Amino acid sequence: MTHQSRTVLLAGGVGGARLGHGLQAHLGDRLTVVVNTGDDLERHGLLVSPDHDTVMYTLAGIDNPDWGWGIEGETFAAAEMLERYGEEGWFRLGDRDLATHIVRTARVRAGERLTAVCLDLQRALGVRAAILPMTDAPVRTEVLTEDGWLEFQEYFVHRHQAPTVSDLRFSGIDAAAATPEVVEAVAASELLVIAPSNPFVSVRPILAVTGIEAAIQAARARAVPVVAVSGIVGGKAIKGPADRMLVSLGHESSALGVARLYTGVADVFVLDAVDEALAPAVEALGLRTVVTDTIMADDAGRARLASAVLAATSLG
Ligand code: FO1
């Protein structure tokens, strides 16, 4: 692969956004990011799309690097006023972020496709890559816990990911088809990358959308390589609940545990140097391995991992 390969990145939240930022530095508009929309929700009558917006703000260079979501220098005047009116405030919507939700909600309610609206928002922010919702249909991830089925953000934010997850479901997934833009991007791709996102609540919903896994397998049949990056380093998730979910859903909380989930869809697996000893076991699954520093602490780290991913399938 060269640094100009048409690349499609399957991404969820923070880890996906950071690798996307690194890949965009190399690829510009030859990068397409297909984002999970299972985390989407309605708040105060507005449609909020956290994974799309996290990737959009990050690729626009206006993300809040400490939080991994939201906009740098954000203010919360509207949120404070909403709370004065007795509205729930546990899901914090900043003033600039609200503009995104106001525009998106108004245009989707007027009948436009989510994808068309999202592409316009990205262009207005100067994003060079294309960030595509996995589908235009509503999909909502729910997790089964000791408190019953919870909507994703209720689990992730309101309950601080404390409950133990014993099952997952993506309501609406049966009626959700891949958009033409996603199918076209995968068909034109020369490289497919699975970001170091949560395999269960970020990557799996994308692969569950009708048409997406089939498009990926058709690309693989054309010798397009799929490179997956482990989001588990030294048995721990860089950020978020993926390590605990691996265990509570019956898997091993390790890079090998993640690799097992991607057999049959990935060809190359990128592990952190910390997990070098696991490489033979990953290769025994039929995956080629690349061992490198996968921590993206800053822009240089993001570009470095992106470079390693782009080089992962170059012959020789
Ligand atoms: N995460 C939090 O931990 N607390 C919040 O109040 C919060 C608000 C929020 C608003 C908009 C948005 O796009 C994302 C937001 N997130 C918040 C992050 C969000 O829960 C995660 O980005 C994902 O859904 C997981 O990737």
Side-chain angles (χ1 to χ4, degrees), residues 12-14 36 39-41 48-51 53-54 57 67-70 89-94 97 101 104 152-153 156-157 160-161 202:
V14 181
N36 166 45
D39 293 4
D40 292 5
L41 71 165
V48 180
S49 220
D51 280 353
D53 295 350
T54 295
Y57 296 148
W67 293 355
W69 57 273
W90 55 266
F91 195 79
R92 308 280 291 149
L93 293 175
D97 194 35
H101 313 317
R104 175 165 47 217
F152 183 76
Q153 299 297 349
F156 191 86
V157 176
H160 309 289
Q161 309 149 34
S202 293

Side-chain angles (χ1 to χ4, degrees), residues 115-287:
T115 298
V117 180
C118 287
L119 287 169
D120 281 353
L121 293 170
Q122 298 155 30
R123 287 189 191 110
L125 294 182
V127 176
R128 287 175 295 148
I131 308 165
L132 302 176
M134 64 190 195
T135 178
D136 285 326
V139 172
R140 297 290 178 268
T141 297
E142 294 168 356
V143 295
L144 183 57
T145 72
E146 56 272 27
D147 302 326
W149 285 99
L150 300 176
E151 290 188 347
F152 183 76
Q153 299 297 349
E154 172 61 32
Y155 156 75
F156 191 86
V157 176
H158 205 193
R159 300 182 192 219
H160 309 289
Q161 309 149 34
T164 298
V165 174
S166 57
D167 200 357
L168 293 167
R169 66 187 179 195
F170 309 128
S171 72
I173 198 72
D174 293 341
T179 63
E181 291 86 353
V182 167
V183 174
E184 280 158 30
V186 175
S189 67
E190 297 161 291
L191 173 64
L192 292 164
V193 183
I194 298 176
S197 302
N198 187 310
F200 303 107
V201 293
S202 293
V203 178
R204 187 173 292 177
I206 298 173
L207 297 176
V209 170
T210 303
I212 291 187
E213 174 129 20
I216 291 171
Q217 297 302 353
R220 295 181 74 210
R222 289 188 283 110
V224 173
V226 178
V227 179
V229 182
S230 178
I232 300 289
V233 174
K236 291 279 170 226
I238 312 286
K239 189 176 174 63
D243 44 14
R244 291 170 48 228
M245 277 187 182
L246 276 159
V247 173
S248 65
L249 292 170
H251 307 276
E252 184 185 307
S253 178
S254 69
L256 177 58
V258 176
R260 289 196 182 106
L261 296 170
Y262 291 142
T263 53
V265 69
D267 304 290
V268 183
F269 193 72
V270 181
L271 307 90
D272 192 85
V274 160
D275 294 314
E276 181 156 25
L278 295 176
V282 173
E283 283 159 10
L285 297 170
L287 298 170

